[in-house]
Amino acid sequence: MNSTFVRVWKYPVLLAILTLFGLLAALTGTGIWHVLAWLTLAIPVAVCLFFSFRRKRV
């Protein structure tokens, strides 16, 4: 694979996998699976908030 492609899409794909796992865990599991769902769904939200409020360097 092209190294530029991997460098650009590595983290968006990782966030998509975490989101998919969290949604499936919430729908199909109970108990500890709900905790895992909360954690995996909170990570993409935290990343978005971090980059939303980060100051831009000029």
Side-chain angles (χ1 to χ4, degrees):
M1 254 204 220
N2 191 352
S3 66
T4 305
F5 179 81
V6 173
R7 190 177 57 203
V8 169
W9 288 101
K10 178 174 39 175
Y11 293 115
V13 169
L14 179 64
L15 291 175
I17 291 170
L18 282 172
T19 303
L20 182 63
F21 175 79
L23 290 173
L24 290 175
L27 287 173
T28 60
T30 58
I32 190 70
W33 290 105
H34 283 196
V35 174
L36 289 173
W38 273 95
L39 290 174
T40 56
L41 291 173
I43 291 171
V45 173
V47 169
C48 290
L49 288 173
F50 174 77
F51 284 105
S52 294
F53 295 114
R54 188 175 69 154
R55 290 186 182 201
K56 294 183 181 181
R57 295 180 185 170
V58 177

